[in-house]
Amino acid sequence: MTEVKKIAVIGAGLLGHGIAQEFAMAGYDVSLHDLSEEILVQAKVNMARNLRTLAEEGLVDGAQAESVPERVRSSTDLAEVVQDADFVIEAVSENLELKQKIFAQLDKLCQNHTILASNSSTFMPSSLSSATSRPDKVVVTHYFNPPYLVPAVEVVRHEGTSDETFDTAFDLLESIGKKPVRVQKEALGFIGNRLQAALVRECFSLVEKGIASAEDIDALVRYGLGRRLSVAGPLEIADVAGLDIYSALTSYILPDLDDSTTPPKAMAESVDRGDLGVKTGQGTYAWTDDSSEEVKQRIARALIQIQKWST
């Protein structure tokens, strides 16, 4: 098994700074890379904000909250960041050409034993390993936002990923308190995004057919399905209810579900208009700065409470 002592994170944005924060909290030697000093400075600010929130909720102590950002070494020099890393996590934007370019650079700059992981939510590990001379040491570790509050990480292998690499990535994540899951074969969307896409497609379909409003659908998921899914998975719930009941239910309902293979019409029309959601102030809902901040804080506060009672 590869021994991991030093971690490098490439990309200090939305997910990258949180990933670096967690490894530093767990005591690993962590380096962080991005293209500008301004981004790296903001990453430290974001870490400090995250940690203050955790400290206020009693999940970390004040001294730890103060020290963690300073323990993360940062640089715009990629070679400096990765030269002695045992495990590198790429967390740049979802652009395959960019990721392949970075993986090719990492392959040349890193030591022979170094494992190269991607936080991609979209691209297969094989499409990234093809840019390297070490396909056996390439894996996807897909985090969910915000990474310091959502414990799940998908560990995705491709045909060429060695068992040692796969197991090392899994064990490393488990060692810092994450809940990694093994994705044994490449599949578009892995697990999480496949499930999410199916649910969102049906939600939009229900609105388009006039069966229910967006508000009522979201309320049903928040106060119904979501409450149960936070404590038991859908397959566990099916077992509890009885597979005979679920078999009858699905045989009756599945033929009536949306099975389209293109984005929902309402979603596509919103995108064409430039109505992208919170980032533009209009999506399925209208958003203000206050309302968007409220929903972000509501999600964060709820995740913190779940973390308290589930640890």
Side-chain angles (χ1 to χ4, degrees):
M1 188 75 70
T2 302
E3 184 178 12
V4 178
K5 293 182 178 179
K6 296 185 178 181
I7 307 286
V9 180
I10 313 304
L14 182 66
L15 288 159
H17 80 271
I19 294 170
Q21 169 191 314
E22 286 212 307
F23 278 106
M25 282 180 61
Y28 285 92
D29 183 340
V30 182
S31 296
L32 181 62
H33 173 271
D34 215 302
L35 298 177
S36 75
E37 288 294 343
E38 290 80 7
I39 295 173
L40 292 170
V41 168
Q42 185 60 50
K44 296 290 187 77
V45 170
N46 292 340
M47 288 181 207
R49 178 201 62 212
N50 298 342
L51 289 159
R52 280 196 302 272
T53 300
L54 294 176
E56 289 167 2
E57 296 291 338
L59 292 173
V60 300
D61 62 49
Q64 190 178 32
E66 291 284 338
S67 66
V68 165
E70 297 309 314
R71 294 211 306 268
V72 177
R73 293 177 287 119
S74 61
S75 175
T76 57
D77 185 336
L78 183 62
E80 178 184 338
V81 168
V82 305
Q83 62 183 349
D84 57 354
D86 303 305
F87 197 97
V88 179
I89 302 175
E90 167 273 309
V92 304
S93 59
E94 285 295 284
N95 178 305
L96 180 57
E97 185 177 351
L98 173 61
K99 288 179 184 290
Q100 288 176 329
K101 179 181 177 181
I102 290 172
F103 267 72
Q105 291 176 299
L106 294 174
D107 189 43
K108 292 181 175 66
L109 295 171
C110 292
Q111 300 179 64
N112 291 335
H113 74 274
T114 304
I115 292 173
L116 307 181
S118 175
N119 182 49
S120 178
S121 62
T122 308
F123 302 119
M124 305 290 198
S126 60
S127 67
L128 303 172
S129 70
S130 64
T132 77
S133 62
R134 60 180 85 192
D136 60 311
K137 297 188 183 300
V138 174
V139 68
V140 162
T141 53
H142 174 223
Y143 287 74
F144 295 84
N145 190 47
Y148 69 100
L149 291 177
V150 180
V153 183
E154 295 178 300
V155 182
V156 190
R157 71 186 305 169
H158 64 98
E159 283 190 357
T161 304
S162 70
D163 289 343
E164 180 181 4
T165 295
F166 198 44
D167 292 341
T168 298
F170 186 93
D171 292 346
L172 174 65
L173 291 163
E174 203 168 45
S175 77
I176 65 169
K178 306 306 285 183
K179 298 294 184 184
V181 298
R182 299 179 189 269
V183 183
Q184 299 283 359
K185 294 182 179 180
E186 291 186 315
L188 287 172
F190 313 140
I191 301 170
N193 280 334
R194 290 177 79 91
L195 297 176
Q196 186 166 257
L199 178 60
V200 168
R201 178 178 64 184
E202 189 60 28
C203 288
F204 271 93
S205 179
L206 290 169
V207 173
E208 289 173 7
K209 293 173 180 176
I211 293 170
S213 67
E215 292 82 358
D216 285 332
I217 292 167
D218 280 347
L220 184 281
V221 174
R222 285 178 61 190
Y223 302 117
L225 303 181
R227 294 293 175 96
R228 296 191 302 179
L229 290 172
S230 66
V231 294
L235 300 180
E236 287 180 310
I237 291 170
D239 266 2
V240 170
L243 295 181
D244 54 335
I245 293 172
Y246 264 70
S247 179
L249 179 72
T250 54
S251 66
Y252 185 67
I253 293 177
L254 285 178
D256 197 52
L257 294 183
D258 192 307
D259 62 355
S260 57
T261 58
T262 56
K265 181 181 177 183
M267 181 189 291
E269 290 175 347
S270 289
V271 172
D272 288 343
R273 290 193 303 269
D275 295 336
L276 307 180
V278 166
K279 66 178 74 176
T280 61
Q282 181 66 52
T284 300
Y285 299 100
W287 297 97
T288 64
D289 289 344
D290 287 344
S291 65
S292 61
E293 183 61 23
E294 186 279 327
V295 75
K296 290 175 185 176
Q297 288 301 315
R298 170 164 33 100
I299 292 169
R301 286 194 302 270
L303 290 172
I304 287 171
Q305 293 306 313
I306 291 171
Q307 187 163 327
K308 283 182 175 181
W309 55 252
S310 63
T311 53

